[in-house]
């Protein structure tokens, strides 16, 4: 029997938009509509550090080396918080003040960062040298609000989701990205979230029609499986591959 204990962490009166764990589970990070990015000690539920930003924080993601937090804001800016130097460094801000950042993602090898905005525009940066991030491409991926972007575990693809009722798979190449497949059904509504399987072959999507769909990255004409047990919108999903976890656990112990 699995026993789980819960501890409440309350930051402010505003709505939280992002949460994540440090790799050793020593602290968690949160972002909120009050413009605060906070780091919390898991054992004491005390805020250890915080960064105040000028607008609502829509997305926060942690660098694999656990020392940098990437932040996407409502005011169109994308920046990172260097935890060692305790300073925020701007990567991009739209001078027209259009295109609030809705989702950020970093690939497993920490070489690229992507962000999608509320206009459906995806930006991709080379962050191999974090002191000089380079914008590789800015691609209009959707005709409506972008909602989520994520890298495949093998770092070969980016998946994007949107209010245009589609999820799309993009090949990453030297010049940027190219459209590989579009995943959609007549019943599908806003697609809020997407997550890859461990082997990068399959993609799960969550939609406002209350359905989670499983897509084969090699086939786009129909979902491989549909999970339609919910009566309301599904806006977030996570995937854990039990067999892959057994394999990696075994590999790391040898």
């Amino acid at each position: 029997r699995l026993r789980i204990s819960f501890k409440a962490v309350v930051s402010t009166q505003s709505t939280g938009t992002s949460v994540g764990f440090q790799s050793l589970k020593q602290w968690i990070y949160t972002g909120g509509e009050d413009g605060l990015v906070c780091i919390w000690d898991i054992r004491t539920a005390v805020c250890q550090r915080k960064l105040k930003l000028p607008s609502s924080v829509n997305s926060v993601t942690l660098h694999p080396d656990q020392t940098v937090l990437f932040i996407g804001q409502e005011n169109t800016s994308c920046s990172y918080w260097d935890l060692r130097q305790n300073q925020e460094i701007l990567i991009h801000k739209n001078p027209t003040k259009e295109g609030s950042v809705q989702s950020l993602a970093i690939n497993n090898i920490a070489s690229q960062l992507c962000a999608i905005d509320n206009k459906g525009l995806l930006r991709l940066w080379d962050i191999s040298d974090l002191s000089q991030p380079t914008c590789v491409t800015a691609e209009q991926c959707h005709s409506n609000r972008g909602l989520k972007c994520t890298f495949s575990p093998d770092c070969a693809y980016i998946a994007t989701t949107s209010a245009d009722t589609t999820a799309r798979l993009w090949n990453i190449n030297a010049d940027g990205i190219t459209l590989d497949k579009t995943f959609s059904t007549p019943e599908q509504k806003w697609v809020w979230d997407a997550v890859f399987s461990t082997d990068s072959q399959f993609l799960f999507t969550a939609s406002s029609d209350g359905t989670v769909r499983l897509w084969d990255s090699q086939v786009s004409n129909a979902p491989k499986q549909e999970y339609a047990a919910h009566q309301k919108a599904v806006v977030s999903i996570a995937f854990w591959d039990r067999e892959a976890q057994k394999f990696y656990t075994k590999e790391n112990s040898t």
Side-chain angles (χ1 to χ4, degrees):
R1 178 180 298 180
L2 178 64
R3 181 174 297 175
I4 303 175
S5 61
F6 295 91
K7 181 179 291 185
V9 177
V10 179
S11 56
T12 68
Q13 298 299 316
S14 76
T15 302
T17 57
S18 295
V19 62
F21 283 89
Q22 181 249 8
S23 62
L24 299 178
K25 311 299 186 290
Q26 295 174 340
W27 47 267
I28 64 173
Y29 60 88
T30 60
E33 290 183 350
D34 57 1
L36 281 174
V37 179
C38 299
I39 293 177
W40 304 85
D41 187 301
I42 291 179
R43 298 165 298 174
T44 63
V46 171
C47 179
Q48 296 178 318
R49 304 171 70 176
K50 60 184 177 182
L51 177 69
K52 177 61 178 174
L53 297 166
S55 73
S56 173
V57 174
N58 291 338
S59 183
V60 183
T61 190
L62 181 62
H63 192 286
D65 72 4
Q66 313 296 295
T67 64
V68 172
L69 285 169
F70 293 94
I71 306 162
Q73 296 181 63
E74 186 69 23
N75 69 356
T76 79
S77 71
C78 178
S79 61
Y80 68 88
W81 180 13
D82 187 329
L83 301 178
R84 292 167 296 191
Q85 302 296 324
N86 195 29
Q87 63 178 335
E88 183 206 5
I89 299 170
L90 185 67
I91 296 176
H92 170 83
K93 186 173 183 179
N94 194 336
T96 64
K97 298 184 179 180
E98 295 183 353
S100 65
V101 179
Q102 299 297 299
S103 177
L104 287 170
I106 184 171
N107 67 8
N108 286 341
I109 58 175
S111 63
Q112 292 182 319
L113 174 76
C114 66
I116 195 166
D117 67 21
N118 66 339
K119 303 296 184 181
L121 183 75
L122 181 83
R123 288 184 172 86
L124 178 67
W125 291 275
D126 182 338
I127 56 169
S128 301
D129 180 359
L130 198 51
S131 65
Q132 294 181 320
T134 303
C135 185
V136 177
T137 188
E139 186 81 22
Q140 190 66 47
C141 292
H142 294 276
S143 60
N144 205 330
R145 174 182 289 266
L147 296 172
K148 181 66 179 287
C149 59
T150 185
F151 285 96
S152 61
D154 63 6
C155 305
Y157 299 98
I158 296 174
T160 59
T161 73
S162 171
D164 66 7
T165 76
T166 69
R168 289 180 175 164
L169 189 67
W170 303 85
N171 281 311
I172 303 172
N173 52 57
D175 299 320
I177 58 173
T178 54
L179 180 61
D180 187 89
K181 292 177 178 62
T182 297
F183 302 120
S184 183
T185 70
E187 302 81 13
Q188 191 163 262
K189 298 181 180 180
W190 285 30
V191 185
W192 288 92
D193 201 1
V195 61
F196 282 95
S197 61
T198 308
D199 61 4
S200 302
Q201 182 177 348
F202 300 100
L203 183 73
F204 293 89
T205 58
S207 173
S208 288
D209 63 6
T211 303
V212 173
R213 293 178 173 87
L214 173 62
W215 306 86
D216 189 327
S217 64
Q218 306 303 313
V219 182
S220 61
N221 58 355
K224 186 177 181 67
Q225 182 72 44
E226 292 187 340
Y227 309 91
H230 297 276
Q231 300 303 312
K232 294 185 178 181
V234 181
V235 298
S236 183
I237 52 175
F239 174 70
W240 176 54
D241 191 329
R242 181 180 301 174
E243 294 304 315
Q245 183 64 35
K246 289 180 181 178
F247 171 78
Y248 291 125
T249 301
K250 182 178 179 182
E251 286 292 300
N252 290 335
S253 65
T254 58

